[in-house]
Every structure is written in structure tokens, then in C-alpha cells.
Amino acid sequence: MSAQEKVAEGRTAPVVTLDFVGSRTETEDATSKLPVESQAALRQFSLERMTGYGVDHADAVEVRARVVEGQDWRSACTELAETCLRRVEGATGLGHAGRPTRIAYLRRASALLRMSQMMMLSDTAERRQIFARAAAVYAQAAELGADRGRVTLETDQGHMTGWLIPACGTAVASAVVIGGVEGWAMDFDSLGEALAARGVDALMLDGPGQGETRLTHGHHLTAHWGDAYGRAVDFLAERSPGRPIGFVGNSMGGSFAMAVAAREPRIRACVDNGGIHAPWLVPPTMGTFFSKMVAACGTRDPDRAMDVWRTVTPLADGPNAGYPLLVVQGGQDPLVSMELAQVLLRGAPTDDKRMVVFSDGNHCVYNHRHDRDALVADWTVARLCGRPNPTIAN
């Protein structure tokens, strides 16, 4: 042994171990012993769906492992969010050099907090507090990154909240992006970022019955939802007069997007990612999803809620019939079958339409997020700017 090796062998150095539960095999035997809510959460929010909503892959793996080990969904998500926030504090002393670290952990914490309230079916004070905190943490990251800002729009039914992600470089178009019954504005910011990277100002909006619009401002889904979305289009048109506007809807938001596009001549391109042709046909047997549709309307009366959902008519004709339409569909979507997607495609009031199917895609194609975002953003900017449809390669 050399002298240098002897010196090295005698030295001591601090060792920091970051403890994780680690990945767990989610066997039927293991999950069947869990509480009903934990089983439902693991089933409804797959690893792909969690990361699709902005949860870091490692965090998603850890949450699921903790739940399999017996921890409840909400506390598993919340505890990991607190860990992220402690790391934000730890990077504060680095000054400007620590800014990227702080932004990353703030966004991770926000995504985990949003995920923590996903199984809450009632708009309790606790749920509103959790979501408001998630939005505040997201706003901290936005301020540090200076790459997006909160927008509050006034409507006759109440305030709507969104996040505007400005185009990188010279803006050539604008677009509204909405989520559905569960995933909301902040959850789809990867899509907004993809649009912004291609020169499109993206308004990630919580529409009536969604996100901050509902949980902070009490603005639920009513039969006047069309007026509210019209105000969002007004905002983009007033902000950049003459610039073409697109509308992108995810999950049930796709149904709204098509309904808005048909009635609003200022919409020059529309994307439906996971919507259905008749939202009111969702049966009560859909359980949690149906309950969330009812809650979006601010009522506990299913009949009253379905009366509101009957006003969402993506196949209805209108003054803007003929708008360019892209339908994005997952071939393995457990909520919207290929048959239902074909009904929507055939019935859409435009001849300028096409569908792209990801053969193994789940609902909203969360398992191909980057490919999905690139497809939607490329197609949207091409159609808004009068360019040919982008080539889609297998």
C-alpha cells in the first residue's frame, strides 16, 4: 500500500443518506388490504398520470410506495411537498446560483400539494387551503423564473384565474388551454410551455368549476360557461389585437373547447385531447368521476348538475363551423373508448379535422407527454399561422 493510499484510508468524511421507501411492487395481494380510498387513488392516478400533472417521477414513485406501505394518499403527498420546501430553504443561502434549485423544488412541491387533494370530493375549507397553498408555491416559482404570471379575469359569474406563459421570442399567436374535471391549469403547464416555445402566448386557464376559479373564487360551472370562456378570448384579443387564437382542451375540457370553437369566430384552431361528444351521458356508475362532475357545478343534486352539463355541446353547429380540429386519442383510454372518439370525430361540425391515435395511449395520453405536447403545439401553431399540417411520423 502506497503512502498516498494510507493517508486516504485514514481520512473521514461526512456521509449524508437521503432515505426513501423506494419502489414497491403493487401486487393485488398488497393493494387489496389497503383502505378503499388508497386503492382508488393508486388505480386512478397512475405513475404516468401523476407525472403528466407535473409530479416529479421520483416523487410519484415514492408517493405510491408509501401508500402501498399503508400511508394515506394525502399525507404521503403532503410530506414529500414539505421535504421539497425544506430544500427550497436550503438553497436560499446560495443567492442567485440557487435560483434554479429553488424554482425546481417549488414546482415539485406545488404539484405534490395539488396531487394531495385529488381524492377530496367536497370543497371543504381544508381542500381550499391546500389548493391555495399549491397556487402560492407555484406563484413563488413563477416570480423567480419570470417566465409566467397569474391572470385574473372578471366575468358576470365571478372571477376566473389563469397563468399566462408568454411566447419565447416574437409571439405569432395566442391560445387558451384548459383541463377537465380533475386536472386543471397548473397541471397542464408542460403544454403551455410547448406552445410558448413555438411563439404562442399560452393562457393556462381555470375555467368555471375548475381550480382556483372554483376553490378560491367560488365560480362554479353553470349554463353561462360560454360567456366566461368568451371573456378569456376577449382577454387575448385585447392583449394582442389581430393575432390568431387557438383553444386546447384536455379531458372533458376538450368537449368545452369544441363547443367554444363552433360558436366563437375568433377561434382559428381547436384541439380536443380526451373529450367526449355528450358529457351528460357519463353515468353515476362512474363513481368518483361522476361525483366530481357534480361538484364542479357547486351542487349535490346530480339532476341539477346534469342539466348544466347538457349545455356543453361539442357537436353543435355555430357561426364558426368549419374550424380546424385536431382530436388526440389514446388507444387504451379507459374513460374514452375509440368508439366514442370516432363518434366525436364524425359528428364535429367541420370538414377540416383529423385524429391522431397513440396506440398504447392512456387518457389524455399522459404516458407520451412530450410527444403529445409537441404534436399539439406544432399542429396549433401551424394552423394558426396558415402553414401546412405538420408531418406526423410513427
Side-chain angles (χ1 to χ4, degrees):
M1 182 182 294
S2 68
Q4 184 176 3
E5 287 173 329
K6 289 180 181 178
V7 171
E9 185 181 41
R11 292 175 181 168
T12 60
V15 176
V16 177
T17 300
L18 303 178
D19 289 320
F20 299 95
V21 172
S23 179
R24 289 290 184 271
T25 302
E26 298 177 14
T27 64
E28 184 177 351
D29 181 60
T31 58
S32 64
K33 299 172 184 176
L34 299 174
V36 173
E37 182 179 283
S38 295
Q39 293 184 49
L42 290 172
R43 184 174 60 253
Q44 294 173 28
F45 294 96
S46 64
L47 186 66
E48 293 86 359
R49 190 176 183 189
M50 293 176 73
T51 55
Y53 283 174
V55 177
D56 184 82
H57 182 271
D59 293 336
V61 170
E62 184 70 7
V63 166
R64 299 183 69 82
R66 292 187 182 195
V67 172
V68 170
E69 290 292 301
Q71 188 171 2
D72 69 276
W73 181 266
R74 195 179 315 167
S75 68
C77 293
T78 303
E79 285 182 8
L80 283 177
E82 297 296 348
T83 298
C84 289
L85 292 173
R86 285 195 294 272
R87 290 175 179 170
V88 172
E89 295 174 5
T92 302
L94 298 175
H96 184 76
R99 191 168 63 94
T101 299
R102 294 166 65 193
I103 292 171
Y105 280 115
L106 284 167
R107 289 185 177 165
R108 283 175 66 171
S110 176
L112 284 162
L113 289 170
R114 300 194 307 270
M115 188 56 62
S116 76
Q117 54 84 51
M118 285 292 186
M119 297 306 295
M120 302 175 77
L121 302 182
S122 300
D123 294 351
T124 62
E126 180 185 13
R127 186 184 191 189
R128 286 191 288 269
Q129 182 180 19
I130 290 172
F131 204 85
R133 189 183 182 205
V137 170
Y138 191 88
Q140 284 181 261
E143 184 177 359
L144 282 172
D147 60 349
R148 68 202 66 191
R150 183 188 262 117
V151 172
T152 301
L153 305 177
E154 293 184 12
T155 77
D156 291 340
Q157 288 72 48
H159 289 82
M160 288 195 303
T161 297
W163 298 85
L164 183 69
I165 305 179
C168 301
T170 302
V172 297
S174 304
V176 178
V177 181
I178 60 172
V181 172
E182 296 170 312
W184 297 324
M186 291 178 279
D187 299 318
F188 283 98
D189 62 359
S190 69
L191 187 48
E193 291 164 2
L195 287 163
R198 292 159 175 80
V200 179
D201 287 340
L203 175 60
M204 311 298 299
L205 184 68
D206 279 330
Q210 298 179 331
E212 290 184 89
T213 294
R214 165 177 149 198
L215 296 174
T216 299
H217 301 297
H219 183 171
H220 292 87
L221 180 64
T222 71
H224 303 288
W225 57 265
D227 297 334
Y229 283 123
R231 178 68 193 95
V233 177
D234 290 341
F235 167 77
L236 291 177
E238 293 163 2
R239 184 174 180 272
S240 303
R243 188 183 297 168
I245 300 172
F247 206 118
V248 180
N250 300 282
S251 191
M252 201 66 85
S255 304
F256 283 99
M258 290 177 61
V260 171
R263 67 172 67 182
E264 176 53 76
R266 292 174 294 181
I267 300 300
R268 302 270 295 278
C270 175
V271 179
D272 162 47
N273 174 35
I276 60 174
H277 69 286
W280 62 91
L281 293 181
V282 173
T285 53
M286 287 287 285
T288 299
F289 188 81
F290 182 83
S291 298
K292 291 183 177 183
M293 288 181 67
V294 174
C297 300
T299 180
R300 295 184 179 179
D301 183 345
D303 293 333
R304 182 180 172 188
M306 288 305 107
D307 284 342
V308 173
W309 281 100
R310 284 187 182 90
T311 66
V312 185
T313 53
L315 303 190
D317 207 340
N320 196 40
Y323 63 88
L325 171 67
L326 173 67
V327 177
V328 181
Q329 174 66 20
Q332 300 298 320
D333 188 335
L335 296 179
V336 182
S337 66
M338 283 299 303
E339 290 76 14
L340 286 176
Q342 289 287 357
V343 170
L344 181 137
L345 183 68
R346 288 195 301 267
T350 175
D351 293 328
D352 186 356
K353 55 190 173 184
R354 70 189 312 186
M355 179 192 290
V356 176
V357 179
F358 289 76
S359 63
D360 68 335
N362 53 28
H363 186 56
C364 289
V365 198
Y366 298 116
N367 55 328
H368 289 281
R369 188 182 71 172
H370 294 294
D371 291 334
R372 178 204 67 190
D373 291 351
L375 165 67
V376 170
D378 286 345
W379 182 90
T380 299
V381 73
R383 298 315 305 268
L384 290 178
C385 296
R387 301 170 189 163
N389 278 322
T391 300
I392 301 171
N394 190 350

